[in-house]
Amino acid sequence: GRAEEMYERAIAADPTNAAMLGVYAVFLEKVRCDYGRAEAMFERAIAADPNHADSIGVYALFLEKVRCDYDRAEEMYERAIAADPNHADNIGVYARFLVVVRCDYGRAEEMYERAIAADPTNARNLNNYALFLEKVRRDYGRAEAMYERAIEADSDGHGR
């Protein structure tokens, strides 16, 4: 299709643009469901820029959700956070991974707090942390306060 042509032209013009390679990989995964080509494109993006936190983070999510390769996914989450220690989205997704896949609640809570410190207006992280506080910690007071912060952040246009 037309979108695919545009991605391929952009990559042909700049084959080492990690951001474009990563976005194209997500397109191949989500729109085309071509997981083999998507994975190859994720790997190309990371080879082009080994510290491109966005590409590493979405590749980690791909490894977790599509490949169910939890060890490699965790390795990539940690690498993405090392590449950008203040990338709230990557930290928050890793926190969710630690809850759902690893059941490592102590580390997950640390990551949620770190993600919120990095971006106090990220509604998704605030909401996921509220869920964690409610369902895992059963700390209903803190959960309610976090839900309120999430709603406020979302209504301010920071929902992501």
Side-chain angles (χ1 to χ4, degrees):
R2 190 158 154 67
E4 201 157 354
E5 274 176 42
M6 291 176 71
Y7 283 122
E8 287 173 358
R9 277 211 315 258
I11 290 166
D14 184 0
T16 60
N17 183 326
M20 181 57 65
L21 292 163
V23 169
Y24 185 38
V26 171
F27 170 84
L28 290 169
E29 173 195 352
K30 306 273 187 208
V31 177
R32 294 281 181 250
C33 298
D34 187 338
Y35 302 130
R37 279 179 63 211
E39 187 159 18
M41 206 54 62
F42 281 125
E43 288 172 355
R44 245 181 94 180
I46 293 165
D49 181 353
N51 294 309
H52 193 265
D54 286 335
S55 296
I56 302 167
V58 290
Y59 184 40
L61 195 56
F62 171 87
L63 290 168
E64 175 192 349
K65 299 288 190 178
V66 175
R67 296 293 189 220
C68 299
D69 186 340
Y70 302 129
D71 292 340
R72 273 186 69 213
E74 185 162 21
E75 188 182 307
M76 286 295 146
Y77 284 128
E78 289 174 351
R79 187 169 158 187
I81 293 166
D84 182 352
N86 294 308
H87 195 296
D89 287 329
N90 283 342
I91 301 166
V93 172
Y94 182 45
R96 181 209 40 81
F97 171 88
L98 289 168
V99 172
V100 175
V101 175
R102 298 295 191 213
C103 300
D104 185 343
Y105 303 135
R107 185 129 166 77
E109 188 159 12
E110 285 172 30
M111 286 293 129
Y112 276 128
E113 288 173 357
R114 186 170 158 187
I116 290 164
D119 180 358
T121 64
N122 185 307
R124 182 177 44 221
N125 286 340
L126 292 164
N127 186 66
N128 285 344
Y129 188 34
L131 274 167
F132 172 84
L133 290 169
E134 176 190 358
K135 304 289 185 196
V136 176
R137 295 292 189 221
R138 302 204 186 300
D139 186 338
Y140 303 115
R142 281 178 64 210
E144 184 177 10
M146 206 55 63
Y147 281 126
E148 287 170 3
R149 283 181 64 185
I151 291 165
E152 186 180 317
D154 201 36
S155 66
D156 289 345
H158 297 284
R160 285 181 194 78

